[in-house]
Amino acid sequence: MAFVNTPAFKSFKPTPESIPPPNAVLKLSVPPGIPVHIHPLNPLTFLLRASQIYPDKLALSAPEGPNPAFYSYAVWCVTQRVQNFAYALKKVGIKPGETVAVIAPNCPMIADALQGGLAARVILCPINTRLQHHEVEYILEHSQTRLILIDHEYLHLIKGTKIPFIVSNDTGRVGGDPYEVFLSEGRRFSRERGWEGLDVEGDENQGCLLCYTSGTTGRPKGVLTTLRGSYLAAIGNASDARMSSSSIYLWLLPMFHAAGWTYPWAITFCLASQITLRTVDFTKIWKHFLGSGVSCYCAAPTVQIGIINDPAARKPPQRISAIIAGAAPTAHLIGSLEKVGIEPVHVYGLTETYGPFTRSYTHPSWATMSLEERSKKMARQGHAFSTAAEVRVKQEKEEEEEGEERLVDVPKDGKTMGEIVTRGNLVMREYFRDPEATAKAFRGGYFRSGDLAVWYPDGAVAIMDRSKDIIISGGENASSLAIEQELASHPHVLEVSVVARSHPKWGERPMAFVTLHPQHVAKWRGEKGEKEFGEDLKKHARKRLPGFACPEWVRVVGELPKTSTGKILKTELRKVVAKL
Amino acid sequence: MAFVNTPAFKSFKPTPESIPPPNAVLKLSVPPGIPVHIHPLNPLTFLLRASQIYPDKLALSAPEGPNPAFYSYAVWCVTQRVQNFAYALKKVGIKPGETVAVIAPNCPMIADALQGGLAARVILCPINTRLQHHEVEYILEHSQTRLILIDHEYLHLIKGTKIPFIVSNDTGRVGGDPYEVFLSEGRRFSRERGWEGLDVEGDENQGCLLCYTSGTTGRPKGVLTTLRGSYLAAIGNASDARMSSSSIYLWLLPMFHAAGWTYPWAITFCLASQITLRTVDFTKIWKHFLGSGVSCYCAAPTVQIGIINDPAARKPPQRISAIIAGAAPTAHLIGSLEKVGIEPVHVYGLTETYGPFTRSYTHPSWATMSLEERSKKMARQGHAFSTAAEVRVKQEKEEEEEGEERLVDVPKDGKTMGEIVTRGNLVMREYFRDPEATAKAFRGGYFRSGDLAVWYPDGAVAIMDRSKDIIISGGENASSLAIEQELASHPHVLEVSVVARSHPKWGERPMAFVTLHPQHVAKWRGEKGEKEFGEDLKKHARKRLPGFACPEWVRVVGELPKTSTGKILKTELRKVVAKL
C-alpha cells in the first residue's frame, strides 16, 4: 500500500462532504424471491467489499496531467463517484437494461462507468476511441444507446448526434466540468438513500457490457457479456496474474477494449490499487514502474517492445508481472523483459471470451532450457483459466450416416491443425441484435474462435494463424505466425509481419514486412542495404523453416500499421501487396 | 514443486496401467440443453484442469506409515483413483443423488471421495471419526446412506450395520485391500469410457456434501451444501490463504470437518500439492514443515499451540501461512507463530457456511502497534470473503405497527451486541430432512449463526460469545470469550476456558479453567500453589476487565476437554461446575 503514502495522495484533500457517513451500508438491496443461500453473481460486489475492508486505501488514481486525482476506496465507491454515477443515470431517466455508451481514454470517468453502470443495471457500451465517425455512429445506433458519456478530446466522434451526451473534461473538479456536475447531481438526487437504495440485478445472466469488435471486414459486432461471466472472468484473471491486496495495477490496456479484460473487477476482487494514464507514454510508465510500486500491467507485444526499449528502462525495486496478449511474445521480448525484472505471462483470448481465457502455464522443466527453447514453449496459448470450462482444438467432420457436420478433437500431436473452440462461463451471451451471427459463432455447441491451432501432447494449444491469415504455398498450409516467430529471432529484427502474396508458380508465397532495431537501421540503409538485409533474413529463415514457408520477399519499413490496441493490421499490409 | 523431486516420490512407481492414455479427454460430458455460454459451477472441474496442466506434478501424498503413497495429478485423477471411484460407485448400483458415507482419518480414500463423489453425482457424507457408535448409527439412518466407505481403524463405529460397506486398509495396493479392489473394479467397469463417460451435474444448486454438525444439545443436524457454493467457497479460501501453484498444503484439519473447509478444491483450483497425515503428530508436522516445503495448513488454536511448543520448532526455509479458526488466536500464539516464521491468518465460519467465510484483514497501520494491541485487532472475525455476499451484526426489533420481528443492523460502535448473520452463496442449502430447523436458521432472511458479536466502526465484526456461553453477572452480559482473551495474556497461562457458575448474590459469575505452560507448572504445584496462582490471575484480570467480568473462581487443570477438531468442550466444564 506504499502508494497511498506518496505526497501526491496525501496532498489530495477530499471535500468534507466526501467523508462517508459512519454507518454507511455498503450493499445493494436484494430483491424478494432470492433464497438465503444464493446471491446473483455480480462483479460490483467486489468494490463494495473492498470499500468496507480498506476504506482509506488508494482505489483509483489519475496522477498525470494538470488535475491529478487520487480516490480512496470510500471516496471512489461511496461519496464522490460510483454511487453517484448510478443515481445520476436514474435521475436523467435511464432505466435498467438500457444502453449507455462511454467514449474515453483510460481516466476516472470510464473507471467509474465500469462499476456504476452495474449499480444502475444498465448495459455499458465502451467505444474504441480510434474509430472513425461513421463507425461510432453505427455503433451508437445499433446498440440503441440512450446516453453518451464522452471525454472532451473525442467530441468530434459524435458530431451531429441526436443522442444526449455528457462531456468530461477530466478535471475531477465540479467547476466547469459537466461530468463532475452530473455526478454531484446524482448525489443530491439520492438524498442519501445510499447503496441500499439500489437493487442488485436478480438475474446473473443479464447483460453487463456491450463491446463492439473492430471487425476487419463488414460491420462491427456487439459482444454482449453477462454479470455471471464478468464475475468469473475477473476471478480467473486475478488468479492467473497472481494479484493480491499488495498489487498496484497500471492501466496501459485501454479500458474500452473488452472492458479492460475484466481487470477493473479483478483489481477490486483483490483489494488492489489502480493507476490510470490517458496515453501510453513510456517516460510516464517508467516513472510509475520505478516510483509507484506498480506490480502488474497488461499490454500487447508492440507496447512491451516500446517499454523495454525506453532509455529509462532498468530493474525496479519490486517484481512486475507483464500480462501479454494479442500476439505471442518472441524470445527477444521475453529475454529483454526478464533482464529488467519483469515476468512475462502469456495469455490469449478474444472480446467474445471476456478477454483472456487461456494461459501459457510455465513448467519447472523449462528452467533448464535455452531462452529460445523456452520462448517457444511460452509462445503457445496453453490451457484454460480456472473459471473457463474448456479449450479444445477441433475439426469439422462429416457424419457418414447423417451428412451433418460435427466437431471432433484433433489428435494431440502438435501437428494436426484445427480451430480453437471453447464453451462455458467465459463465453459471451450473444452478438447483440444479431441471432444469425450468434448461431454461426456457436455452431457445433462451442464458441468458434476462428483461430487455427495445433494441440500438443502436454495439452497446450498453440495458435498457428487466423483462418484468413494462413498462406497456401505450393499446396502447403504455411502459418504466418510460425514464420513471424522464426523471423523475429533474427537479432536485427524489431517487429515482423508476414502476409500472402500471389505467386505465378506456387499460388501464394510469404512476404515479410520488417522494422529494424534502432541501432541496426544505419547498417541496412538504402536500396542496396535493404536488399542485403533481405538476403540475410532469408538465409536465417532457411535454417529454421521448410522451403514453402520461407519469405520470398522482404520489405524493411519504418513502422507497421496497427490497431489502437497494438495489433498489427494485416489488412493494411494486404492492400500494399495487392498493388505490387 | 520441489516435493515431486524427493526420493520418496521418485521411488514410487505407478503400475504400467496407470500411465494415462495419450489422448485422454479430461472433461465430463455436458448434458443437452445447457447453453454454450454457461457451465454449471462444479469444484470437480478444478481437478480435471490441474490434471491437464500439470499431469506429472504431485497432487496427493500420504508419506507416513508403512505404505507411503504419492500420486501425480494424472495418476490420481485419471488412472488409479478418482475416475475409478466414480465408476466403482456406478458398478455397485449407486445412483446420482444417493448418499455415500465415508468414515476415515485424513488419507487418500477420503481425498478420493471428495472428488470422485462429485463425479458420480452422489451426496457424500463424511462422518466425524470421534463420534460414538449410536451417533454414527443415527447419522447413517438419517442421511439415508446407501454405501459406507470405512477406514479399517473405525470398523467398531458401524458394528451391526445392515448398510453395505467397503473397508480401506490404507495401503494403496490392491493385494488385501478391499477399497483398492473396489477402485480397480471401477476401472474395469468403465471399459475406458473415461471422464467423458460421466455427466456433469446440470443443476449447480444440487446437493454436494452432507456434513453433520456435532450438536452439543439434541440430535446432530445434516448440513447440505451445493456444488455452486462449494465452487465459490473454494475460490474464497484459495484467495484468502494466498495459495498458488507453488503451494504445498499439509492436512491437519480433518477432511470430514465441513469437507475440510472446501480446501480439497481450493488446492486443485490453485494447481497445488497436498500432503495427508492420519494423525496430528507434531514430530511429523515439523518434519514436513522443514523438509517438504509446506506453505499452508489450517488448524484450531489448540493444535497451533502444540505446534509451537514442539521441541523441533524452528524457522523453516519457506513462508508458511497458518489458517486459524475455531477460536480467536491470542497474543501469545500470534507472537510464537511469527517467531518461527509462520504467518497467522484468522478466519471464522461454521459448517453451515462451508467453513470460513470471514477473515481478519490486516491493515498496514497495525505494523507499528504492540503485539498485544495488534492481536486484539487480529482476534476480530473481520470482514466477508470475496465470494461471500455479506456478514452483518443484527438485532431483532419488534415492528410497532405489525407486531412482527425483523432484523436491524446494530450500530458500528464496537459495543452494542447482536448476532452475526450472513446470506449468499456461502450459506448451506438446508438442514437435510429438517425443514423446521432450516426455517428457524433462515428466519429474517439471513442465516443466523447464533454467535453474539459487536460491529466496529471499521466494519470488522468481533464475536463476543455463543448465545449460550454468555455469563449474566449482576445483570451485566459478560462475554466469556473476552474474558478468556484477557486471561490468556497472563504469561503463565497456556490455555483457558471460562464458564458461568451460579452465585447467590450476582446470579452468575465467571469460573476459569486453566492449563499452565510446562515450564511454570512446578511453581504453582499443590493446593497452596494453585490458590496463589488464582490470586495472581485475578489480579491480572482486575487490571484489564470490569469487576463483573473478573473470574470469581480459578481452577488449574492438567488438560481441557476438547472435541475432535480441537474446540474446547464447555459442556463438559459446565458438568464439572454443576457438581460444585
Side-chain angles (χ1 to χ4, degrees), chain B residues 33-109:
Chain B
I34 294 179
V36 172
H37 74 287
I38 288 180
H39 193 84
L41 302 181
N42 189 321
L44 178 63
T45 54
F46 301 145
L47 170 64
L48 292 164
R49 169 175 170 262
S51 307
Q52 286 170 69
I53 298 176
Y54 293 132
D56 55 353
K57 180 174 182 171
L58 179 75
L60 173 70
S61 72
E64 303 296 335
N67 294 292
F70 299 84
Y71 303 107
S72 69
Y73 266 109
V75 170
W76 184 38
C77 171
V78 188
T79 54
Q80 286 199 339
R81 308 194 71 84
V82 179
Q83 182 189 301
N84 303 353
F85 184 99
Y87 280 106
L89 288 183
K90 284 182 95 146
K91 181 170 182 277
V92 297
I94 306 292
K95 304 229 161 8
E98 292 184 336
T99 306
V100 173
V102 57
I103 305 177
N106 287 340
C107 66
M109 179 171 71

Side-chain angles (χ1 to χ4, degrees), chain A residues 1 23 27 35-39 49 54 204 228 242 245 361-362 384 390 412 423-425 427-428, chain B residues 23 27 35-39 49 54 204 228 242 245 361-362 364 384 386 390 412 423-425 427-428:
Chain A
M1 261 181 264
N23 277 313
K27 65 180 283 279
V36 172
H37 74 286
I38 288 180
H39 194 83
R49 171 176 171 261
Y54 293 132
E204 65 191 27
R228 174 185 168 102
R242 285 211 188 181
S245 60
Y361 290 91
T362 51
E390 45 176 318
K412 289 183 183 161
R423 52 161 293 124
N425 300 310
V427 169
M428 64 162 183
Chain B
N23 277 313
K27 66 180 283 278
V36 172
H37 74 287
I38 288 180
H39 193 84
R49 169 175 170 262
Y54 293 132
E204 66 192 22
R228 173 184 168 104
R242 285 212 188 180
S245 61
Y361 291 90
T362 51
S386 50
E390 46 174 319
K412 289 183 183 163
R423 53 161 294 123
N425 299 310
V427 169
M428 65 162 183

